Amino acid sequence: MPSGTSEQNAIPPRRSKRLESTSKPQMAPHTVEKREARRKKEPKKSNKSRTLAKKKKKEEKTEDAYIERILDERGGDVGDEPKATKNGRKSKRKKVPHQYLCSWVDGAEPQWVDASYLEGTPALEEWEDAEDEEEETHDPPDLVESKCAELCEWLKTAKRPTFLLGAGISAPVLATFRGKAGLWTKNAHENPLAEVTASTAQPTKAHRALAVLERNGYVNWVATQNYDDLSARSGFPTSKLSELHGNIFTETCSKCARVYHRDYEVPLDDSVDHETGRRCDDDKCGGDLRDNIIHFEESLPWHELKMSNCKFVGSDLSIVLGSSLKVEPAASLPFKSKRRSRSLNAKAVIINLQATPSDDAADLIIRATCDEVMDSVAKALVGESWDR
């Protein structure tokens, strides 16, 4: 999809320079006289005004081309340190102009565009707001196996185990935000799941394993930062689930607080104050329905956050599944019991492919996918055929 309006992203296409004759034809005398008369009447233009005029004229003459998104960036010094020449002087580095590789709405081949043409466009703003991709690390299979075995022993003795879910648990079916080619990174265009919606996604093996472990007494509470509804659709009981960032299929009446769970995504792109454009079915109410998705700088739902705080403070084993732990207050939940009560001898486990700001506070870190770890744990605690 194009970023912003077509007018904002209108960029003149690059054109090959026409060859010009090195010799200029002789002007007729009357032409020279007319030019001299015009120069006397018109004020002399500065170099800056001439440049702007030429740029404007060029833009008017060329056809408009519309940018879809920025794919890459280059510019500045190229190559290693300057090398010394025979006379002892250092050679100058080769420089290239600051440019962006752009894809086009009409499907034309991506091409490099000078940065000056992109100033003030939504495409450039989106690129500058995007995050650099963080490196992912995978533990060797033998190490993953030994760590999963240790986690299983902790789950066997834990009385109140809790789980915090991040986008990583849904990574096999939905694009993450900060993971490899995440939606908030500069490489989002490389993600094959970028256009997949929650409506078509199905619970992952890690979701199903969590539901099976709960039925066998190994899960006391789950708090999820995901709004994809995959936890509930996997069969995990909503009575033990806190959806901290909302649910994309749920809308609530602003007057009577009645909750509607739909089979389609309820938020609108142009919504004002979370309104979905529908009204309460109750004839006596008729209140506006609003989605419950939590955006940045908005407060988390009071009841969901209160229940999560209570459960994690009293937990003796907190497990993070696929979260970067960068968004508060959810990021602090797995470590509340360790900081509040030493008598619990509480432990915290992080299962994530990327480093997190809370790695130093964890008792165990497993660099593997959520599916891989939860499948191993479910097989050890429930049986090899747990997913049949």
Side-chain angles (χ1 to χ4, degrees):
M1 294 295 293
S3 299
T5 63
S6 58
E7 291 183 357
Q8 289 173 307
N9 280 341
I11 303 297
R14 297 177 65 188
R15 296 181 175 229
S16 57
K17 296 181 179 178
R18 294 182 179 181
L19 296 175
E20 298 179 355
S21 174
T22 54
S23 59
K24 296 182 180 179
Q26 186 69 31
M27 288 186 181
H30 67 273
T31 305
V32 177
E33 292 174 0
K34 288 181 179 179
R35 175 172 288 187
E36 291 297 330
R38 188 165 58 248
R39 283 178 179 174
K40 291 179 180 179
K41 291 181 180 179
E42 294 179 356
K44 188 176 181 180
K45 293 183 179 180
S46 64
N47 291 335
K48 184 176 180 180
S49 61
R50 286 176 185 167
T51 303
L52 292 174
K54 287 181 180 179
K55 185 176 180 181
K56 184 177 180 181
K57 189 174 181 181
K58 182 180 178 182
E59 290 175 354
E60 289 174 351
K61 285 186 175 181
T62 56
E63 299 175 352
D64 286 342
Y66 303 112
I67 290 180
E68 181 182 28
R69 63 171 61 90
I70 295 175
L71 307 177
D72 202 356
E73 180 180 5
R74 72 181 181 186
D77 296 333
V78 177
D80 300 324
E81 290 295 324
K83 296 180 180 179
T85 58
K86 292 181 179 179
N87 57 11
R89 296 179 181 178
K90 290 186 177 181
S91 61
K92 294 183 179 179
R93 289 182 181 180
K94 293 182 179 180
K95 292 185 178 181
V96 296
H98 189 192
Q99 297 176 326
Y100 294 94
L101 182 63
C102 301
S103 63
W104 308 91
V105 174
D106 60 5
E109 286 293 321
Q111 58 185 174
W112 292 98
V113 176
D114 287 342
S116 59
Y117 286 122
L118 292 169
E119 291 179 3
T121 62
L124 182 58
E125 291 177 6
E126 182 180 333
W127 174 261
E128 291 176 341
D129 289 341
E131 300 179 10
D132 293 323
E133 191 173 288
E134 296 184 15
E135 183 181 1
E136 291 186 349
T137 304
H138 295 257
D139 285 337
D142 292 344
L143 183 57
V144 172
E145 185 178 351
S146 64
K147 288 182 177 180
C148 287
E150 185 174 10
L151 176 58
C152 288
E153 293 301 317
W154 291 355
L155 278 167
K156 289 177 182 178
T157 58
K159 296 180 180 180
R160 293 177 294 278
T162 52
F163 288 76
L164 175 67
L165 311 185
I169 192 174
S170 304
V173 294
L174 288 172
T176 62
F177 298 103
R178 293 184 174 90
K180 186 176 182 180
L183 296 178
W184 292 345
T185 70
K186 287 181 167 62
N187 297 323
H189 60 278
E190 298 177 359
N191 197 320
L193 299 174
E195 302 299 327
V196 178
T197 63
S199 300
T200 59
Q202 295 298 319
T204 65
K205 182 173 287 188
H207 284 110
R208 300 194 299 273
L210 205 55
V212 169
L213 290 175
E214 187 279 326
R215 290 196 290 271
N216 286 270
Y218 294 106
V219 182
N220 183 50
W221 196 264
V222 167
T224 178
Q225 301 172 86
N226 304 327
Y227 51 72
D228 52 29
D229 196 44
L230 293 181
S231 293
R233 281 192 273 163
S234 70
F236 192 89
T238 55
S239 59
K240 290 186 175 182
L241 177 67
S242 291
E243 293 177 317
L244 299 176
H245 295 169
N247 187 312
I248 202 168
F249 299 98
T250 300
E251 53 188 343
T252 307
C253 178
S254 57
K255 290 180 67 177
C256 68
R258 181 178 177 181
V259 178
Y260 295 85
H261 194 79
R262 312 295 191 182
D263 58 359
Y264 51 85
E265 299 179 13
V266 301
L268 300 176
D269 292 337
D270 56 352
S271 174
V272 177
D273 196 22
H274 293 267
E275 291 183 359
T276 63
R278 289 175 286 275
R279 292 185 176 275
C280 183
D281 293 341
D282 190 339
D283 295 334
K284 297 180 180 179
C285 177
D288 293 326
L289 299 184
R290 289 182 167 86
D291 71 64
N292 61 4
I293 299 299
I294 305 301
H295 301 288
F296 282 111
E297 298 183 2
E298 292 184 340
S299 299
L300 270 60
W302 181 84
H303 178 73
E304 305 289 329
L305 183 58
K306 178 183 178 182
M307 290 300 298
S308 296
N309 272 317
C310 291
K311 299 300 181 179
F312 277 86
V313 165
S315 174
D316 52 353
L317 176 61
S318 298
I319 301 171
V320 178
L321 283 174
S323 175
S324 62
L325 298 177
K326 291 184 177 180
V327 180
E328 294 290 356
S332 298
L333 288 174
F335 311 98
K336 284 186 175 292
S337 58
K338 288 173 64 71
R339 294 164 182 165
R340 289 284 294 272
S341 177
R342 294 183 179 179
S343 59
L344 281 175
N345 192 26
K347 294 182 174 63
V349 180
I350 296 177
I351 301 166
N352 200 52
L353 290 173
Q354 296 174 325
T356 78
S358 301
D359 283 356
D360 292 341
D363 298 283
L364 178 65
I365 299 175
I366 306 178
R367 300 292 184 213
T369 66
C370 297
D371 275 3
E372 185 180 0
V373 174
M374 294 304 290
D375 180 46
S376 177
V377 169
K379 286 178 178 177
L381 297 180
V382 181
E384 291 287 334
S385 59
W386 72 268
D387 200 24
R388 294 177 187 174

